[in-house]
C-alpha cells in the first residue's frame, strides 16, 4: 500500500504531488511541485499535516485579507504563510529549503487529500509503535 502517491492537477496544468511514505516514526506526508523548476519538496509529520489542513481552511476564509503565519517545530519544522500577491497562494518553507508555493486552485483538493493521508499516517504510526513494544 505504501508509498501512496496522488497527483493533483489544476486547470492550467499545474501539478501538486501528495504522497505518504513510511518512516521509522510511522509515516511522512510529502508535498512536491514536479512542474516547478527545482521541484520544491516539503516533508510533514502528523503534526505538520494537521496544521497545514487547518491553515488551508483559515486561508480560504481570510482571502483577500492577510493571515498570520504558523510555524511547527520538530524534525520537520515548517513555516506556513499566506501570500496574496500576485495571487493567493500558501507558501511552505522548511529550514534551508526552497519555498513550496501552493496556489489557491489546489486548496480544496489538497485539503481533502490531507484528510485521507492523515488517517493513513496515523495508522502507520500506530503500527510503528506496536513494533517497538
Amino acid at each position: 500500500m505504501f508509498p501512496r502517491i496522488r497527483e493533483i492537477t489544476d486547470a492550467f496544468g499545474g501539478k501538486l504531488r501528495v504522497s505518504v511514505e513510511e518512516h521509522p516514526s510511522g509515516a511522512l506526508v510529502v508535498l512536491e511541485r514536479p512542474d516547478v523548476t527545482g521541484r520544491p519538496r516539503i516533508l510533514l509529520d502528523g503534526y505538520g499535516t494537521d496544521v497545514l489542513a487547518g491553515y488551508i481552511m483559515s486561508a480560504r476564509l481570510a482571502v483577500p485579507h492577510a493571515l498570520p503565519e504558523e510555524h511547527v517545530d520538530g524534525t520537520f519544522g515548517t513555516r506556513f504563510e499566506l501570500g496574496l500577491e500576485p495571487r493567493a497562494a500558501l507558501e511552505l518553507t522548511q529550514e534551508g529549503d526552497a519555498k513550496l508555493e501552493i496556489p489557491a486552485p489546489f486548496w480544496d483538493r489538497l485539503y481533502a487529500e490531507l484528510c485521507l493521508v492523515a488517517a493513513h499516517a496515523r495508522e502507520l504510526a500506530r503500527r510503528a509503535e506496536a513494533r517497538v513494544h
Side-chain angles (χ1 to χ4, degrees):
M1 178 175 189
F2 294 96
R4 179 191 185 277
I5 302 169
R6 297 292 185 270
E7 198 159 87
I8 302 169
T9 304
D10 71 9
F12 305 105
K15 292 180 179 13
L16 175 64
R17 185 172 296 144
V18 182
S19 58
V20 178
E21 297 178 0
E22 289 188 85
H23 184 266
S25 66
L28 295 178
V29 173
V30 182
L31 303 174
E32 298 175 276
R33 288 294 309 270
D35 60 324
V36 173
T37 303
R39 298 176 63 105
R41 175 181 164 117
I42 297 288
L43 303 173
L44 299 172
D45 58 11
Y47 172 40
T49 300
D50 288 343
V51 171
L52 176 56
Y55 200 75
I56 289 169
M57 189 55 65
S58 293
R60 289 191 83 243
L61 296 170
V63 169
H65 305 289
L67 180 66
E69 69 179 46
E70 289 286 338
H71 186 269
V72 297
D73 292 327
T75 304
F76 303 100
T78 307
R79 188 175 74 227
F80 304 90
E81 298 177 84
L82 173 61
L84 296 172
E85 295 296 331
R87 66 194 191 293
L90 300 179
E91 299 169 353
L92 283 61
T93 310
Q94 290 183 321
E95 267 189 51
D97 291 331
K99 188 179 292 185
L100 177 93
E101 185 177 280
I102 305 172
F106 288 110
W107 295 355
D108 289 346
R109 291 193 54 208
L110 175 57
Y111 179 83
E113 195 62 33
L114 288 174
C115 290
L116 294 169
V117 298
H120 287 302
R122 279 191 300 275
E123 176 59 13
L124 287 174
R126 185 192 67 74
R127 290 178 189 177
E129 187 176 294
R131 283 191 302 265
V132 171
H133 295 300

